[in-house]
Amino acid sequence: MKKGFTLIELLAVILILGIIALIAIPTVTNMIEESKRGALRTTALTLVKQAQQACTSEMIKGLEPTLFYTINDGKASGELNTKNLPKSGEIELDSTCKSKVAVSDGKYCVITDGDIINFVDDGSPCVLNPVIYTADKCFTVENNVIVDYNFDIEDCNSGTIVVPSVINGQQVKEIGEYGFTEDSSGYGYGVPSDIELIDLSHMKYLETIQDNAFSVNFFDRWGDETVGDFVIKLPTSGSLKTIGVYAFNEYRHDMVIPEGVTSIGNYAFYMGYGKKFTIPSTVTTIGDYAFYNTKVEKIINKTGLEFNWNSILGSYCSNEDPVFAAGTCIYDTRTIEIVNN
């Protein structure tokens, strides 16, 4: 007669299987995880080569090369041939087409810089250049509006201002009148001459830039081209809708106004030094003298709408009718080209 297993024998078998599982499962798990890390590393190296090849090809063709790509939800911002892109990432190239890559599959992050490859598993953002925001103490925020920047605090006058989207628990939706001037009255006191950069690009809730928000410091900068300039980085896209009166009074650089903006106020870029401006397709209103007494040479009008350029530029247009979507205006002896792109 055939005997079955005793209870003790069954327990022994279960115990042995449990021990084998305890040994095998972590090993198999580690193998799977190492495989994922290896695949992400291979993807990063492939992207390095792809970006360098694209950059070199564009330069050979006489084109301005793309020097920065982003990857979101497996889709790249530019023309990259790589399939099965990771969940997110950034690719940055210098003028020689040397590239750096930061890519993430949602769990692991690989950052490359030349021959150096690093895995980042500490939960920090998988980016090439981590953002260091200006401290909350540097801003006075009331009802979601930046009403003042505290230039008198030593740590707040460092030359670079990077504005966060949330300050002291408030989502910043507006930059108030004279918000970044040294004197709230605005009489002569604008952005100090030692400020080099005001970065608004991370302000995902910003809706309005109020009047005179970024006026220059008249005493230090006005009419003096030898004084250092500050650069403003606007959000590339998002909720920004309104640019107020004199908002960028005498601002000295070209500017691409982001998609989403619908209204540009009177004298918004009065006496500006920028030579090229891009009007996004979303704009419906451009105020009188918005580009008056500026050095503008070209305006890219993406709206397809007709505007009265005599009023906007404060100049005489060569067209019989100054209301058009694309054409030419003359200011003194300078030609201002308006193209409909």
Side-chain angles (χ1 to χ4, degrees):
M1 186 174 175
K2 204 169 184 181
K3 292 177 65 178
F5 291 108
T6 66
L7 179 61
I8 293 175
E9 289 172 330
L10 287 172
L11 289 174
V13 170
I14 292 171
L15 179 62
I16 292 168
L17 290 174
I19 293 171
I20 293 172
L22 285 173
I23 297 171
I25 289 175
T27 301
V28 172
T29 301
N30 287 338
M31 288 175 63
I32 293 172
E33 294 303 313
E34 282 302 316
S35 176
K36 290 180 180 179
R37 286 163 62 97
L40 189 62
R41 179 181 182 276
T42 300
T43 299
L45 294 175
T46 301
L47 285 171
V48 167
K49 293 178 182 177
Q50 291 274 349
Q52 289 174 341
Q53 289 172 358
C55 176
T56 303
S57 176
E58 288 171 338
M59 292 182 73
I60 291 172
K61 293 176 182 177
L63 303 173
E64 179 132 0
T66 303
L67 298 180
F68 192 78
Y69 298 89
T70 58
I71 301 170
N72 292 300
D73 294 325
K75 297 179 181 178
S77 61
E79 297 292 330
L80 289 178
N81 297 323
T82 303
K83 296 180 180 179
N84 301 319
L85 287 169
K87 184 176 181 181
S88 63
E90 296 179 344
I91 304 169
E92 184 180 278
L93 298 101
D94 62 19
S95 58
T96 65
C97 292
K98 180 181 177 182
S99 65
K100 296 189 293 185
V101 169
V103 290
S104 172
D105 60 3
K107 181 176 182 180
Y108 295 117
C109 170
V110 173
I111 299 178
T112 74
D113 187 359
D115 296 329
I116 301 172
I117 300 174
N118 293 314
F119 278 91
V120 180
D121 300 338
D122 60 3
S124 58
C126 190
V127 294
L128 291 171
N129 303 299
V131 179
I132 301 175
Y133 293 107
T134 301
D136 284 9
K137 67 179 180 180
C138 299
F139 305 90
T140 301
V141 180
E142 298 175 0
N143 299 320
N144 306 100
V145 180
I146 294 177
V147 297
D148 190 28
Y149 186 81
N150 303 316
F151 291 106
D152 54 329
I153 298 177
E154 185 177 354
D155 294 344
C156 301
N157 214 354
S158 63
T160 297
I161 300 170
V162 183
V163 187
S165 59
V166 177
I167 300 174
N168 293 323
Q170 297 187 50
Q171 295 179 358
V172 179
K173 297 183 178 181
E174 297 186 28
I175 296 174
E177 188 173 9
Y178 300 108
F180 280 87
T181 64
E182 285 189 285
D183 176 8
S184 61
S185 72
Y187 294 111
Y189 298 94
V191 177
S193 57
D194 50 359
I195 297 300
E196 298 172 356
L197 171 66
I198 301 177
D199 186 353
L200 313 177
S201 63
H202 308 283
M203 299 183 70
K204 59 184 177 181
Y205 306 112
L206 182 63
E207 297 176 358
T208 302
I209 296 174
Q210 293 188 17
D211 303 350
N212 291 283
F214 297 99
S215 293
V216 301
N217 186 315
F218 294 146
F219 293 153
D220 288 345
R221 299 183 193 262
W222 186 72
D224 184 356
E225 297 190 31
T226 65
V227 175
D229 279 328
F230 65 100
V231 173
I232 296 173
K233 284 187 178 180
L234 292 177
T236 53
S237 62
S239 55
L240 181 61
K241 297 290 187 294
T242 304
I243 294 175
V245 177
Y246 289 106
F248 299 102
N249 179 41
E250 210 194 343
Y251 182 64
R252 299 187 178 186
H253 299 277
D254 297 353
M255 182 174 285
V256 176
I257 300 166
E259 289 290 330
V261 171
T262 59
S263 176
I264 299 172
N266 299 342
Y267 295 92
F269 295 92
Y270 177 66
M271 294 185 69
Y273 286 35
K275 294 184 178 182
K276 181 180 177 182
F277 290 86
T278 300
I279 311 295
S281 62
T282 48
V283 166
T284 56
T285 304
I286 304 177
D288 291 343
Y289 299 98
F291 296 96
Y292 176 60
N293 203 13
T294 66
K295 295 188 177 182
V296 64
E297 296 176 355
K298 185 174 184 179
I299 294 177
I300 299 173
N301 175 21
K302 289 189 171 184
T303 68
L305 302 176
E306 296 182 342
F307 295 102
N308 188 327
W309 296 102
N310 270 355
S311 298
I312 293 169
L313 296 168
S315 63
Y316 293 101
C317 294
S318 59
N319 303 50
E320 228 175 86
D321 183 358
V323 180
F324 54 83
T328 303
C329 286
I330 305 296
Y331 187 85
D332 292 331
T333 59
R334 180 162 47 89
T335 299
I336 302 172
E337 183 185 8
I338 294 130
V339 298
N340 187 1
N341 187 358

